[in-house]
Amino acid sequence: MPQPHAPTALLPATEDGIIRAAALLRQGGLVAMPTETVYGLAGDARCPQAVADIFAAKGRPAHNPLIVHVSGPEMAREIAQVDPRAEQVMRAFWPGALTLVLPLRAGHGLAPAVTAVLDSVALRMPAHPVAQRLLAAFGGPVAAPSANPSGRISPTTAAHVMAGLGGRIAAVLDGGACPVGVESTILGLTGARATLLREGGISKDALAAHLGQMPAPPGDGRITAPGQLASHYAPGAAVRLNAMRPRTGEVWIGFGPDCKGAEFNLSATGDLAEAAARLFATLHSADALGRPIAVAPVPDDGLGAAINDRLRRAAAPRGAT
Ligand code: AMP
Ligand code: MG
């Protein structure tokens, strides 16, 4: 069970705030940290109690493994078996929005629940300077799934984290809004063929250029990532997609210059990077109005694939796993 915390501390992203956050992690506490993708709920990945508390604070099912955040390739090599293919994509995309699923190495030292007792582990080196400084101050691997209640809209500001997890975690390190705004791309490298486990901040075309082949879609239909659950990232309200205009009572979220009169617009100029950065904050704001949500079509290229993936899951019937 998570320890009852008197009000969750809001720490500034100063040297002092980061030192206090690292001390909390060392005591087995949970700290939400800004990353370039979304806020992560960080805990010591080697500490079984901290890891159990992450699952409990999020209400996350135990079969969904957590991404372990590392300070760089060196820490990754201590935890996982890193083949030349993994070295190549780490060189190209780390630090950044790419998570690699790799075979665990003997003596990795992680709490078994982090990987949901699989023999593979998901690793990422974040690019956000505050996350990097926290990892350096802490000096070890940090498990950090998105800092929101399981299945709900992901957090891209400290206020989103406070609204979802306030009172259930030790602290939030406030680094402002997350610049990428959608979660990392997850690439499976445990088999002969690289597998795209989740669309995200790095496009599959960019990966293909470095892998020499297009990553395969996940093959056997087994759920290895919560990003694969049909319903995820879900607002409280119903969500309707590809809406060219709103129906009576709906909040309309537009995309591009043609959506005149939309209450929100992911990007008035049709810029996909801007739309990704604003996606979750816009869903949070629209949801707060308490009306059904309609979203305009978003093109599927580049970051659009990750945006549409999140929107489809936000719109999926609830409880569909
Ligand atoms: P979240 O941080 O909530 O976006 O979730 C972390 C993501 O990493 C989830 O999609 C996990 O299922 C995925 N993940 C973590 N470890 C593994 C693993 N060993 N194999 C496949 N996916 C993983
Ligand atoms: Mg998540």
Side-chain angles (χ1 to χ4, degrees), residues 38-39 58 60 145-155 183 198 226-227 232-233:
V38 303
Y39 273 73
K58 282 180 60 76
R60 178 169 173 120
S146 52
N148 57 321
S150 188
R152 306 312 298 265
I153 307 169
S154 298
E183 292 83 348
R198 176 173 77 186
H232 206 67
Y233 317 107

Side-chain angles (χ1 to χ4, degrees), residues 206-224:
L207 281 171
H210 286 271
L211 287 166
Q213 59 175 195
M214 215 26 136
D220 59 7
R222 240 174 355 123
I223 292 173
T224 50

Side-chain angles (χ1 to χ4, degrees), residues 109-121:
L110 301 180
V114 168
T115 61
V117 205
L118 295 170
D119 50 12
S120 60
V121 61

